[in-house]
């Protein structure tokens, strides 16, 4: 945040309320509104009033599941700073310390770093050694079952994700004025190259579903490009791919025009402005035939 | 502008448990209970990720946003104040801010201020419409709410809320004067509010208080 925050009057805050609710103010304006609200006797109910329509926007969002790996990453990161979080002493929501003895047995995925788990597997000090060994065995067994469960969840999640992304393309392609494309790999890459479906709506939203892609590693991403005849390729969203080989772009801003080509490349990282050849899969958009 | 999304209603996000249950989970998160964080994650991962993905259009970036948002809650749960709206609204506002921040950094534009920093703005004191809505709104009702907007209102709101554009940028993009964009945003939000209120609270006293004036 900047050091100097503009002072606003209540009327100015009311005028900025819509943009503030939408997150569409310039950074200094948003800072100024926050500063005003923090010190103003007027509760500025108009802001909450305007915000009460936001749930309608949330419900227009296509539902997509995150990867199963995200849970593991989050819990590992949270466990890693647990000692710090346990030092919190004055939180309004804090409850009795008894709850802090919750064991890690609900963790579906064992963290790779034993240090991350340590705060949770502390047994009661009076427990006998035999009991400790049995407890450790139980933790290991549960961890193994948990890992297996994660694998199964991942497979089901992949199927659902692919189904959802294809459904999203079909939905977008069915909107009046949309164009669609079947993406196929160049012949040189053989019969098993990546393929996909894309739709670009009249107002320039690309929706894409791909399969048979090689998993990305490191910062790699698959980048979609929309190429209008005679124009430079425009980057229109990117995605990573796991072992399942599927990937999608649920919504990205794309240029609109006749004969647009949708193409996929593999880039070393996000934010590419020119494609790294070769093109792995591409297709020319056309109005769907009814 | 046509709807850019499939209006589907996920069981998890709409007919989820009451906000009291959310607050109970949050209290356990505050006590450093990792299992509670996992429970919170199970409740909101789908909605959070879907929102982040809608905004970033990049699965890797969306996962980073979701992870940061949950870690933000884990580390700063004290910033949630009871009586200032539902946990869901609070959490999704964090996800939204972080996702917008991510795409603005990508463009790049100046960073959005950390929504969790400093005192909670009144924006987080949202009425608990969502829990009222939970389980009652279906896809048809959502469509009705969205179709209550004019095309230009919907365009302005989607460019701002999902596209991360500021009102100034929306004006540049659409060629409309800034004042007109502000008016479209305000009237669009009011229309959504009215559509939801009509659905949820047909006799809400708030409806009679509404000033009809444009910004």
């Amino acid at each position: 945040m900047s050091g100097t925050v503009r002072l606003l009057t209540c009327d100015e805050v009311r005028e900025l309320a819509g943009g503030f609710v939408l997150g569409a103010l310039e950074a200094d304006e948003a800072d100024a509104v926050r500063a005003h609200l923090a010190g103003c006797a007027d509760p500025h109910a108009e802001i909450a009033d305007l915000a009460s329509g936001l749930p309608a926007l949330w419900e227009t969002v296509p539902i997509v599941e995150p990867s199963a790996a995200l849970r593991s990453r989050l819990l590992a990161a949270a466990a890693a700073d647990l000692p710090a979080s346990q030092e919190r002493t004055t939180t309004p929501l804090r409850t009795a310390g008894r709850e802090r003895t919750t064991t890690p047995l609900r963790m579906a995925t064992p963290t790779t770093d034993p240090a991350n788990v340590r705060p949770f597997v502390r047994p009661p000090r009076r427990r006998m050694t035999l009991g400790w060994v049995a407890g450790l065995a139980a933790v290991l067994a549960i961890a193994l079952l948990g890992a297996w469960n994660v694998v199964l969840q991942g497979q089901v999640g992949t199927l659902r994700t692919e189904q959802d992304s294809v459904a999203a393309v079909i939905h977008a392609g069915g909107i009046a004025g949309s164009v669609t494309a079947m993406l196929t790999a160049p012949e040189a890459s053989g019969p098993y190259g990546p393929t996909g479906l894309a739709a670009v709506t009249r107002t320039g939203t690309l929706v894409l579903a791909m399969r048979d892609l090689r998993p990305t590693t490191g910062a790699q991403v698959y980048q979609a490009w929309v190429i209008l005849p005679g124009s430079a390729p425009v980057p229109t969203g990117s995605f990573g791919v796991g072992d399942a080989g599927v990937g999608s772009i649920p919504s990205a801003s794309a240029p609109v025009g006749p004969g647009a080509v949708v193409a996929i490349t593999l880039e070393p990282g996000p934010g590419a402005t020119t494609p790294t050849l070769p093109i792995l899969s591409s297709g020319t958009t056309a109005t769907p035939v009814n | 502008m046509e709807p850019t999304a499939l209006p589907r209603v996920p069981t998890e996000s709409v007919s989820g448990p009451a906000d009291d249950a959310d607050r109970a989970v949050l209290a356990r998160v505050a006590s450093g209970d990792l299992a509670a964080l996992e429970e919170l994650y199970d409740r909101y991962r789908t909605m959070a990720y879907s929102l982040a993905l809608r905004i970033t259009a990049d699965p890797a970036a969306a996962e980073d946003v979701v992870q940061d948002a949950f870690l933000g809650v884990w580390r700063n749960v004290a910033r949630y104040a009871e009586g200032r709206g539902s946990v869901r609204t609070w959490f999704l506002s964090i996800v939204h801010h972080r996702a917008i921040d991510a795409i603005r950094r990508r463009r790049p534009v100046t960073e959005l201020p950390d929504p969790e920093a400093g005192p909670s703005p009144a924006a987080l004191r949202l009425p608990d419409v969502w829990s009222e809505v939970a389980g009652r709104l279906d896809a048809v009702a959502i469509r009705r709410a969205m179709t209550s907007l004019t095309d230009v209102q919907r365009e302005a709101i989607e460019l701002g809320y999902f596209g991360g554009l500021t009102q100034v940028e929306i004006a540049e993009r659409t060629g409309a004067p800034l004042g007109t964009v502000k008016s479209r945003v305000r009237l669009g939000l009011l229309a959504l509010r009215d559509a939801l209120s009509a659905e949820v609270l047909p006799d809400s006293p708030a409806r009679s208080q509404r000033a009809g004036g444009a910004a």
Side-chain angles (χ1 to χ4, degrees), chain A residues 24 26 49 55 58 60 65 67 71 81 88 99 171 201, chain B residues 2 5-6 28 42 46 50 63 74-75 130 161 166-167 193:
Chain A
E26 303 297 322
D49 192 34
W58 299 337
T60 68
E65 285 285 338
S67 74
R71 174 195 300 269
D81 69 3
R88 293 174 297 188
E99 291 193 32
H171 173 80
T201 67
Chain B
E2 73 281 5
L6 289 170
R28 288 169 49 220
D42 282 336
T46 307
S50 301
E63 290 203 348
W74 175 245
R75 291 165 182 164
W130 188 256
Y161 194 75
T166 64
Q167 292 181 129
R193 176 204 66 179

PDB file of all heavy atoms in Angstrom, chain A residues 24 26 49 55 58 60 65 67 71 81 88 99 171 201, chain B residues 2 5-6 28 42 46 50 63 74-75 130 161 166-167 193:
ATOM      1  N   ALA A  24     -12.969  -2.941  -8.737  1.00  0.00           N
ATOM      2  CA  ALA A  24     -12.608  -2.307 -10.008  1.00  0.00           C
ATOM      3  C   ALA A  24     -12.168  -0.861  -9.831  1.00  0.00           C
ATOM      4  O   ALA A  24     -12.241  -0.075 -10.761  1.00  0.00           O
ATOM      5  CB  ALA A  24     -13.791  -2.374 -10.976  1.00  0.00           C
ATOM      6  N   GLU A  26      -9.073   1.923  -8.996  1.00  0.00           N
ATOM      7  CA  GLU A  26      -7.621   2.022  -9.040  1.00  0.00           C
ATOM      8  C   GLU A  26      -7.119   1.774  -7.611  1.00  0.00           C
ATOM      9  O   GLU A  26      -7.838   1.998  -6.634  1.00  0.00           O
ATOM     10  CB  GLU A  26      -7.207   3.428  -9.507  1.00  0.00           C
ATOM     11  CG  GLU A  26      -7.766   3.827 -10.865  1.00  0.00           C
ATOM     12  CD  GLU A  26      -7.272   2.926 -11.996  1.00  0.00           C
ATOM     13  OE1 GLU A  26      -6.107   2.525 -11.964  1.00  0.00           O
ATOM     14  OE2 GLU A  26      -8.072   2.614 -12.907  1.00  0.00           O
ATOM     15  N   ASP A  49     -24.960  -3.199   0.702  1.00  0.00           N
ATOM     16  CA  ASP A  49     -26.163  -3.316  -0.117  1.00  0.00           C
ATOM     17  C   ASP A  49     -25.799  -3.686  -1.555  1.00  0.00           C
ATOM     18  O   ASP A  49     -26.358  -4.621  -2.139  1.00  0.00           O
ATOM     19  CB  ASP A  49     -26.907  -1.974  -0.069  1.00  0.00           C
ATOM     20  CG  ASP A  49     -28.309  -2.085  -0.636  1.00  0.00           C
ATOM     21  OD1 ASP A  49     -28.927  -3.153  -0.458  1.00  0.00           O
ATOM     22  OD2 ASP A  49     -28.780  -1.120  -1.249  1.00  0.00           O
ATOM     23  N   PRO A  55     -23.445 -12.879  -4.958  1.00  0.00           N
ATOM     24  CA  PRO A  55     -23.672 -14.328  -5.079  1.00  0.00           C
ATOM     25  C   PRO A  55     -24.223 -14.740  -6.442  1.00  0.00           C
ATOM     26  O   PRO A  55     -23.958 -15.849  -6.908  1.00  0.00           O
ATOM     27  CB  PRO A  55     -24.664 -14.618  -3.952  1.00  0.00           C
ATOM     28  CG  PRO A  55     -24.329 -13.609  -2.910  1.00  0.00           C
ATOM     29  CD  PRO A  55     -23.976 -12.362  -3.685  1.00  0.00           C
ATOM     30  N   TRP A  58     -21.219 -15.360  -8.509  1.00  0.00           N
ATOM     31  CA  TRP A  58     -20.525 -16.608  -8.170  1.00  0.00           C
ATOM     32  C   TRP A  58     -21.194 -17.798  -8.842  1.00  0.00           C
ATOM     33  O   TRP A  58     -20.549 -18.737  -9.264  1.00  0.00           O
ATOM     34  CB  TRP A  58     -20.513 -16.839  -6.662  1.00  0.00           C
ATOM     35  CG  TRP A  58     -19.807 -15.766  -5.893  1.00  0.00           C
ATOM     36  CD1 TRP A  58     -18.847 -14.904  -6.374  1.00  0.00           C
ATOM     37  CD2 TRP A  58     -20.004 -15.415  -4.528  1.00  0.00           C
ATOM     38  NE1 TRP A  58     -18.450 -14.057  -5.386  1.00  0.00           N
ATOM     39  CE2 TRP A  58     -19.134 -14.340  -4.240  1.00  0.00           C
ATOM     40  CE3 TRP A  58     -20.823 -15.918  -3.523  1.00  0.00           C
ATOM     41  CZ2 TRP A  58     -19.071 -13.755  -2.979  1.00  0.00           C
ATOM     42  CZ3 TRP A  58     -20.755 -15.339  -2.271  1.00  0.00           C
ATOM     43  CH2 TRP A  58     -19.891 -14.281  -2.005  1.00  0.00           C
ATOM     44  N   THR A  60     -22.577 -18.029 -11.603  1.00  0.00           N
ATOM     45  CA  THR A  60     -22.396 -18.184 -13.049  1.00  0.00           C
ATOM     46  C   THR A  60     -21.052 -18.826 -13.372  1.00  0.00           C
ATOM     47  O   THR A  60     -20.747 -19.068 -14.525  1.00  0.00           O
ATOM     48  CB  THR A  60     -22.449 -16.821 -13.767  1.00  0.00           C
ATOM     49  OG1 THR A  60     -21.303 -16.042 -13.395  1.00  0.00           O
ATOM     50  CG2 THR A  60     -23.715 -16.063 -13.445  1.00  0.00           C
ATOM     51  N   GLU A  65     -13.065 -28.694 -10.373  1.00  0.00           N
ATOM     52  CA  GLU A  65     -12.373 -29.171  -9.178  1.00  0.00           C
ATOM     53  C   GLU A  65     -10.880 -28.878  -9.287  1.00  0.00           C
ATOM     54  O   GLU A  65     -10.292 -29.072 -10.354  1.00  0.00           O
ATOM     55  CB  GLU A  65     -12.558 -30.687  -9.031  1.00  0.00           C
ATOM     56  CG  GLU A  65     -13.921 -31.098  -8.544  1.00  0.00           C
ATOM     57  CD  GLU A  65     -14.096 -30.835  -7.060  1.00  0.00           C
ATOM     58  OE1 GLU A  65     -13.090 -30.740  -6.333  1.00  0.00           O
ATOM     59  OE2 GLU A  65     -15.260 -30.693  -6.629  1.00  0.00           O
ATOM     60  N   SER A  67      -6.909 -29.817  -8.546  1.00  0.00           N
ATOM     61  CA  SER A  67      -6.244 -31.119  -8.547  1.00  0.00           C
ATOM     62  C   SER A  67      -6.148 -31.655  -7.120  1.00  0.00           C
ATOM     63  O   SER A  67      -6.148 -30.886  -6.154  1.00  0.00           O
ATOM     64  CB  SER A  67      -4.833 -30.989  -9.140  1.00  0.00           C
ATOM     65  OG  SER A  67      -3.982 -30.345  -8.212  1.00  0.00           O
ATOM     66  N   ARG A  71      -4.646 -30.154  -2.212  1.00  0.00           N
ATOM     67  CA  ARG A  71      -4.916 -30.427  -0.792  1.00  0.00           C
ATOM     68  C   ARG A  71      -3.618 -30.748  -0.058  1.00  0.00           C
ATOM     69  O   ARG A  71      -3.343 -30.208   1.019  1.00  0.00           O
ATOM     70  CB  ARG A  71      -5.884 -31.594  -0.664  1.00  0.00           C
ATOM     71  CG  ARG A  71      -6.121 -32.052   0.771  1.00  0.00           C
ATOM     72  CD  ARG A  71      -6.775 -33.424   0.774  1.00  0.00           C
ATOM     73  NE  ARG A  71      -8.054 -33.389   0.088  1.00  0.00           N
ATOM     74  CZ  ARG A  71      -9.211 -33.140   0.689  1.00  0.00           C
ATOM     75  NH1 ARG A  71      -9.247 -32.935   1.970  1.00  0.00           N
ATOM     76  NH2 ARG A  71     -10.318 -33.115   0.002  1.00  0.00           N
ATOM     77  N   ASP A  81       3.968 -24.267   9.144  1.00  0.00           N
ATOM     78  CA  ASP A  81       4.041 -23.074  10.007  1.00  0.00           C
ATOM     79  C   ASP A  81       3.131 -23.201  11.214  1.00  0.00           C
ATOM     80  O   ASP A  81       2.761 -22.221  11.819  1.00  0.00           O
ATOM     81  CB  ASP A  81       3.767 -21.796   9.216  1.00  0.00           C
ATOM     82  CG  ASP A  81       2.317 -21.685   8.748  1.00  0.00           C
ATOM     83  OD1 ASP A  81       1.508 -22.581   9.081  1.00  0.00           O
ATOM     84  OD2 ASP A  81       2.008 -20.718   8.075  1.00  0.00           O
ATOM     85  N   ARG A  88      -0.300 -17.919  18.292  1.00  0.00           N
ATOM     86  CA  ARG A  88      -1.317 -16.877  18.342  1.00  0.00           C
ATOM     87  C   ARG A  88      -2.036 -16.970  19.680  1.00  0.00           C
ATOM     88  O   ARG A  88      -2.450 -18.032  20.103  1.00  0.00           O
ATOM     89  CB  ARG A  88      -2.326 -17.076  17.208  1.00  0.00           C
ATOM     90  CG  ARG A  88      -1.695 -16.856  15.868  1.00  0.00           C
ATOM     91  CD  ARG A  88      -2.654 -17.189  14.789  1.00  0.00           C
ATOM     92  NE  ARG A  88      -3.014 -18.607  14.827  1.00  0.00           N
ATOM     93  CZ  ARG A  88      -3.727 -19.187  13.876  1.00  0.00           C
ATOM     94  NH1 ARG A  88      -4.178 -18.489  12.883  1.00  0.00           N
ATOM     95  NH2 ARG A  88      -4.010 -20.464  13.943  1.00  0.00           N
ATOM     96  N   GLU A  99      -9.018 -28.548  22.114  1.00  0.00           N
ATOM     97  CA  GLU A  99      -9.168 -28.898  20.697  1.00  0.00           C
ATOM     98  C   GLU A  99      -7.842 -28.976  19.970  1.00  0.00           C
ATOM     99  O   GLU A  99      -7.754 -29.511  18.895  1.00  0.00           O
ATOM    100  CB  GLU A  99     -10.056 -27.865  20.006  1.00  0.00           C
ATOM    101  CG  GLU A  99     -11.475 -27.954  20.474  1.00  0.00           C
ATOM    102  CD  GLU A  99     -12.376 -27.154  19.561  1.00  0.00           C
ATOM    103  OE1 GLU A  99     -12.089 -27.058  18.377  1.00  0.00           O
ATOM    104  OE2 GLU A  99     -13.345 -26.613  20.078  1.00  0.00           O
ATOM    105  N   HIS A 171     -21.377 -26.111 -24.402  1.00  0.00           N
ATOM    106  CA  HIS A 171     -22.295 -25.037 -24.001  1.00  0.00           C
ATOM    107  C   HIS A 171     -21.946 -23.740 -24.737  1.00  0.00           C
ATOM    108  O   HIS A 171     -22.812 -23.087 -25.314  1.00  0.00           O
ATOM    109  CB  HIS A 171     -22.207 -24.819 -22.500  1.00  0.00           C
ATOM    110  CG  HIS A 171     -22.990 -23.638 -22.016  1.00  0.00           C
ATOM    111  ND1 HIS A 171     -24.336 -23.673 -21.818  1.00  0.00           N
ATOM    112  CD2 HIS A 171     -22.592 -22.376 -21.723  1.00  0.00           C
ATOM    113  CE1 HIS A 171     -24.755 -22.492 -21.410  1.00  0.00           C
ATOM    114  NE2 HIS A 171     -23.713 -21.688 -21.339  1.00  0.00           N
ATOM    115  N   THR A 201     -16.867 -17.521 -28.426  1.00  0.00           N
ATOM    116  CA  THR A 201     -18.184 -16.881 -28.491  1.00  0.00           C
ATOM    117  C   THR A 201     -18.100 -15.572 -29.279  1.00  0.00           C
ATOM    118  O   THR A 201     -17.020 -15.044 -29.508  1.00  0.00           O
ATOM    119  CB  THR A 201     -18.734 -16.564 -27.088  1.00  0.00           C
ATOM    120  OG1 THR A 201     -17.903 -15.563 -26.500  1.00  0.00           O
ATOM    121  CG2 THR A 201     -18.739 -17.794 -26.205  1.00  0.00           C
TER     122      THR A 201
ATOM    123  N   GLU B   2     -23.611 -12.711 -24.103  1.00  0.00           N
ATOM    124  CA  GLU B   2     -24.268 -13.899 -23.589  1.00  0.00           C
ATOM    125  C   GLU B   2     -23.577 -14.370 -22.310  1.00  0.00           C
ATOM    126  O   GLU B   2     -22.466 -13.972 -22.017  1.00  0.00           O
ATOM    127  CB  GLU B   2     -24.211 -15.030 -24.637  1.00  0.00           C
ATOM    128  CG  GLU B   2     -22.849 -15.661 -24.813  1.00  0.00           C
ATOM    129  CD  GLU B   2     -21.918 -14.823 -25.672  1.00  0.00           C
ATOM    130  OE1 GLU B   2     -22.297 -13.706 -26.048  1.00  0.00           O
ATOM    131  OE2 GLU B   2     -20.800 -15.282 -25.938  1.00  0.00           O
ATOM    132  N   ALA B   5     -20.765 -18.590 -18.994  1.00  0.00           N
ATOM    133  CA  ALA B   5     -20.513 -19.715 -18.106  1.00  0.00           C
ATOM    134  C   ALA B   5     -21.710 -20.639 -18.070  1.00  0.00           C
ATOM    135  O   ALA B   5     -22.790 -20.299 -18.530  1.00  0.00           O
ATOM    136  CB  ALA B   5     -20.240 -19.184 -16.706  1.00  0.00           C
ATOM    137  N   LEU B   6     -21.455 -21.801 -17.553  1.00  0.00           N
ATOM    138  CA  LEU B   6     -22.535 -22.745 -17.351  1.00  0.00           C
ATOM    139  C   LEU B   6     -23.141 -22.470 -15.989  1.00  0.00           C
ATOM    140  O   LEU B   6     -22.498 -22.659 -14.979  1.00  0.00           O
ATOM    141  CB  LEU B   6     -21.970 -24.177 -17.350  1.00  0.00           C
ATOM    142  CG  LEU B   6     -21.495 -24.722 -18.675  1.00  0.00           C
ATOM    143  CD1 LEU B   6     -20.754 -26.029 -18.432  1.00  0.00           C
ATOM    144  CD2 LEU B   6     -22.656 -24.960 -19.604  1.00  0.00           C
ATOM    145  N   ARG B  28     -12.172 -23.577  15.176  1.00  0.00           N
ATOM    146  CA  ARG B  28     -11.182 -24.646  15.337  1.00  0.00           C
ATOM    147  C   ARG B  28      -9.913 -24.327  14.542  1.00  0.00           C
ATOM    148  O   ARG B  28      -8.815 -24.626  14.972  1.00  0.00           O
ATOM    149  CB  ARG B  28     -11.783 -25.978  14.902  1.00  0.00           C
ATOM    150  CG  ARG B  28     -12.831 -26.498  15.907  1.00  0.00           C
ATOM    151  CD  ARG B  28     -13.619 -27.677  15.365  1.00  0.00           C
ATOM    152  NE  ARG B  28     -12.746 -28.683  14.813  1.00  0.00           N
ATOM    153  CZ  ARG B  28     -12.999 -29.361  13.692  1.00  0.00           C
ATOM    154  NH1 ARG B  28     -14.120 -29.131  13.022  1.00  0.00           N
ATOM    155  NH2 ARG B  28     -12.161 -30.268  13.268  1.00  0.00           N
ATOM    156  N   ASP B  42     -12.448 -28.623   2.296  1.00  0.00           N
ATOM    157  CA  ASP B  42     -13.434 -29.475   1.630  1.00  0.00           C
ATOM    158  C   ASP B  42     -14.730 -28.710   1.344  1.00  0.00           C
ATOM    159  O   ASP B  42     -15.406 -28.964   0.366  1.00  0.00           O
ATOM    160  CB  ASP B  42     -13.719 -30.717   2.479  1.00  0.00           C
ATOM    161  CG  ASP B  42     -12.603 -31.734   2.337  1.00  0.00           C
ATOM    162  OD1 ASP B  42     -11.910 -31.702   1.304  1.00  0.00           O
ATOM    163  OD2 ASP B  42     -12.402 -32.540   3.257  1.00  0.00           O
ATOM    164  N   THR B  46     -13.973 -26.184  -4.075  1.00  0.00           N
ATOM    165  CA  THR B  46     -14.533 -26.171  -5.422  1.00  0.00           C
ATOM    166  C   THR B  46     -14.954 -24.759  -5.822  1.00  0.00           C
ATOM    167  O   THR B  46     -14.616 -24.281  -6.903  1.00  0.00           O
ATOM    168  CB  THR B  46     -15.741 -27.108  -5.507  1.00  0.00           C
ATOM    169  OG1 THR B  46     -15.334 -28.392  -5.029  1.00  0.00           O
ATOM    170  CG2 THR B  46     -16.224 -27.233  -6.939  1.00  0.00           C
ATOM    171  N   SER B  50     -12.999 -22.658  -8.600  1.00  0.00           N
ATOM    172  CA  SER B  50     -13.771 -22.295  -9.790  1.00  0.00           C
ATOM    173  C   SER B  50     -13.743 -20.785 -10.010  1.00  0.00           C
ATOM    174  O   SER B  50     -13.575 -20.311 -11.137  1.00  0.00           O
ATOM    175  CB  SER B  50     -15.217 -22.771  -9.649  1.00  0.00           C
ATOM    176  OG  SER B  50     -15.258 -24.173  -9.483  1.00  0.00           O
ATOM    177  N   GLU B  63      -4.724 -22.440  -8.709  1.00  0.00           N
ATOM    178  CA  GLU B  63      -4.390 -23.248  -7.526  1.00  0.00           C
ATOM    179  C   GLU B  63      -3.534 -22.441  -6.556  1.00  0.00           C
ATOM    180  O   GLU B  63      -3.694 -22.551  -5.338  1.00  0.00           O
ATOM    181  CB  GLU B  63      -3.685 -24.542  -7.955  1.00  0.00           C
ATOM    182  CG  GLU B  63      -4.634 -25.498  -8.659  1.00  0.00           C
ATOM    183  CD  GLU B  63      -4.182 -26.942  -8.594  1.00  0.00           C
ATOM    184  OE1 GLU B  63      -3.024 -27.190  -8.211  1.00  0.00           O
ATOM    185  OE2 GLU B  63      -5.006 -27.823  -8.930  1.00  0.00           O
ATOM    186  N   TRP B  74      -5.667 -19.489   7.459  1.00  0.00           N
ATOM    187  CA  TRP B  74      -4.959 -20.264   8.493  1.00  0.00           C
ATOM    188  C   TRP B  74      -4.110 -19.348   9.369  1.00  0.00           C
ATOM    189  O   TRP B  74      -4.056 -19.496  10.583  1.00  0.00           O
ATOM    190  CB  TRP B  74      -4.091 -21.299   7.772  1.00  0.00           C
ATOM    191  CG  TRP B  74      -3.178 -22.142   8.602  1.00  0.00           C
ATOM    192  CD1 TRP B  74      -1.815 -22.126   8.561  1.00  0.00           C
ATOM    193  CD2 TRP B  74      -3.528 -23.159   9.555  1.00  0.00           C
ATOM    194  NE1 TRP B  74      -1.300 -23.058   9.424  1.00  0.00           N
ATOM    195  CE2 TRP B  74      -2.335 -23.704  10.047  1.00  0.00           C
ATOM    196  CE3 TRP B  74      -4.744 -23.640  10.030  1.00  0.00           C
ATOM    197  CZ2 TRP B  74      -2.301 -24.724  10.991  1.00  0.00           C
ATOM    198  CZ3 TRP B  74      -4.719 -24.657  10.990  1.00  0.00           C
ATOM    199  CH2 TRP B  74      -3.512 -25.184  11.449  1.00  0.00           C
ATOM    200  N   ARG B  75      -3.467 -18.386   8.720  1.00  0.00           N
ATOM    201  CA  ARG B  75      -2.526 -17.542   9.456  1.00  0.00           C
ATOM    202  C   ARG B  75      -3.194 -16.311  10.071  1.00  0.00           C
ATOM    203  O   ARG B  75      -2.697 -15.756  11.040  1.00  0.00           O
ATOM    204  CB  ARG B  75      -1.399 -17.090   8.517  1.00  0.00           C
ATOM    205  CG  ARG B  75      -0.502 -18.233   8.130  1.00  0.00           C
ATOM    206  CD  ARG B  75       0.370 -17.905   6.942  1.00  0.00           C
ATOM    207  NE  ARG B  75       1.177 -19.063   6.571  1.00  0.00           N
ATOM    208  CZ  ARG B  75       1.799 -19.194   5.401  1.00  0.00           C
ATOM    209  NH1 ARG B  75       1.721 -18.246   4.499  1.00  0.00           N
ATOM    210  NH2 ARG B  75       2.502 -20.282   5.134  1.00  0.00           N
ATOM    211  N   TRP B 130     -26.167 -14.761   1.374  1.00  0.00           N
ATOM    212  CA  TRP B 130     -25.786 -16.033   0.802  1.00  0.00           C
ATOM    213  C   TRP B 130     -26.408 -17.207   1.540  1.00  0.00           C
ATOM    214  O   TRP B 130     -26.904 -18.138   0.945  1.00  0.00           O
ATOM    215  CB  TRP B 130     -24.271 -16.170   0.783  1.00  0.00           C
ATOM    216  CG  TRP B 130     -23.877 -17.374   0.037  1.00  0.00           C
ATOM    217  CD1 TRP B 130     -23.439 -18.546   0.533  1.00  0.00           C
ATOM    218  CD2 TRP B 130     -23.936 -17.542  -1.379  1.00  0.00           C
ATOM    219  NE1 TRP B 130     -23.204 -19.430  -0.477  1.00  0.00           N
ATOM    220  CE2 TRP B 130     -23.503 -18.848  -1.646  1.00  0.00           C
ATOM    221  CE3 TRP B 130     -24.323 -16.724  -2.424  1.00  0.00           C
ATOM    222  CZ2 TRP B 130     -23.442 -19.344  -2.939  1.00  0.00           C
ATOM    223  CZ3 TRP B 130     -24.253 -17.223  -3.699  1.00  0.00           C
ATOM    224  CH2 TRP B 130     -23.814 -18.512  -3.951  1.00  0.00           C
ATOM    225  N   TYR B 161     -15.418  -7.652 -12.468  1.00  0.00           N
ATOM    226  CA  TYR B 161     -15.355  -8.682 -11.426  1.00  0.00           C
ATOM    227  C   TYR B 161     -14.531  -9.891 -11.849  1.00  0.00           C
ATOM    228  O   TYR B 161     -13.761 -10.444 -11.070  1.00  0.00           O
ATOM    229  CB  TYR B 161     -16.768  -9.125 -11.043  1.00  0.00           C
ATOM    230  CG  TYR B 161     -16.795  -9.926  -9.758  1.00  0.00           C
ATOM    231  CD1 TYR B 161     -16.645  -9.300  -8.530  1.00  0.00           C
ATOM    232  CD2 TYR B 161     -16.937 -11.306  -9.788  1.00  0.00           C
ATOM    233  CE1 TYR B 161     -16.650 -10.030  -7.361  1.00  0.00           C
ATOM    234  CE2 TYR B 161     -16.951 -12.045  -8.608  1.00  0.00           C
ATOM    235  CZ  TYR B 161     -16.805 -11.392  -7.399  1.00  0.00           C
ATOM    236  OH  TYR B 161     -16.797 -12.111  -6.239  1.00  0.00           O
ATOM    237  N   THR B 166     -10.132  -2.193 -14.122  1.00  0.00           N
ATOM    238  CA  THR B 166     -10.658  -1.102 -13.317  1.00  0.00           C
ATOM    239  C   THR B 166     -11.733  -0.399 -14.139  1.00  0.00           C
ATOM    240  O   THR B 166     -11.840  -0.614 -15.354  1.00  0.00           O
ATOM    241  CB  THR B 166      -9.551  -0.095 -12.962  1.00  0.00           C
ATOM    242  OG1 THR B 166      -9.090   0.505 -14.177  1.00  0.00           O
ATOM    243  CG2 THR B 166      -8.389  -0.783 -12.266  1.00  0.00           C
ATOM    244  N   GLN B 167     -12.491   0.457 -13.458  1.00  0.00           N
ATOM    245  CA  GLN B 167     -13.548   1.170 -14.189  1.00  0.00           C
ATOM    246  C   GLN B 167     -12.960   2.017 -15.312  1.00  0.00           C
ATOM    247  O   GLN B 167     -13.551   2.142 -16.385  1.00  0.00           O
ATOM    248  CB  GLN B 167     -14.365   2.017 -13.220  1.00  0.00           C
ATOM    249  CG  GLN B 167     -15.185   1.148 -12.269  1.00  0.00           C
ATOM    250  CD  GLN B 167     -16.036   1.956 -11.311  1.00  0.00           C
ATOM    251  OE1 GLN B 167     -17.221   1.730 -11.177  1.00  0.00           O
ATOM    252  NE2 GLN B 167     -15.426   2.907 -10.629  1.00  0.00           N
ATOM    253  N   ARG B 193     -28.822  -7.341  -6.939  1.00  0.00           N
ATOM    254  CA  ARG B 193     -29.341  -7.363  -5.575  1.00  0.00           C
ATOM    255  C   ARG B 193     -30.863  -7.511  -5.588  1.00  0.00           C
ATOM    256  O   ARG B 193     -31.428  -8.317  -4.854  1.00  0.00           O
ATOM    257  CB  ARG B 193     -28.959  -6.061  -4.872  1.00  0.00           C
ATOM    258  CG  ARG B 193     -29.520  -5.917  -3.473  1.00  0.00           C
ATOM    259  CD  ARG B 193     -29.627  -4.470  -3.065  1.00  0.00           C
ATOM    260  NE  ARG B 193     -30.614  -3.752  -3.869  1.00  0.00           N
ATOM    261  CZ  ARG B 193     -30.911  -2.463  -3.703  1.00  0.00           C
ATOM    262  NH1 ARG B 193     -30.263  -1.762  -2.796  1.00  0.00           N
ATOM    263  NH2 ARG B 193     -31.828  -1.872  -4.457  1.00  0.00           N
TER     264      ARG B 193
END
